Amino acid sequence: EREATGLSIDRKKCDGCGICAAVCEISLEKSQDLANGKGARRFEMPVIVIADGLITIKNPEACRRLVPDAPVCNACVDLCPSKALKFL
């Protein structure tokens, strides 16, 4: 699967650990609960959430990879322990 951000998600490898969501700076800014180590609330709009045990890109428009002149961020890919994520 390829999301709008260019992020490829291998759902067979994803174990739903949530590290990708926990290291996404934009997601942390948009969700106080996520920043506190919990899951994001339904009304919050983080980039990444874990839903039904798998990574889901909830708000791709907020990802730094789509924001012109934003610093490139690879934290979700670099820190995924199961190597379920990669950028194409």
Side-chain angles (χ1 to χ4, degrees), residues 31-80:
S31 171
Q32 186 61 46
D33 281 346
L34 189 59
N36 290 331
K38 301 176 186 176
R41 295 181 186 187
R42 289 181 187 248
F43 63 85
E44 296 176 318
M45 292 300 292
V47 176
I48 299 171
V49 295
I50 303 300
D52 298 324
L54 297 172
I55 180 178
T56 301
I57 306 299
K58 182 175 182 177
N59 185 12
E61 297 82 21
C63 180
R64 282 193 180 158
R65 298 184 67 83
L66 295 181
V67 177
D69 300 323
V72 175
C73 179
N74 294 321
C76 59
V77 172
D78 292 344
L79 297 172
C80 177

Side-chain angles (χ1 to χ4, degrees), residues 6 9-10 13 15 25 28 35 40 44 54 59 61 70 83 85:
I9 303 168
D10 185 337
K13 290 182 180 179
D15 63 9
E25 290 182 21
L28 295 175
E44 296 176 318
L54 297 172
N59 185 12
E61 297 82 21
K83 305 297 182 210
L85 306 174

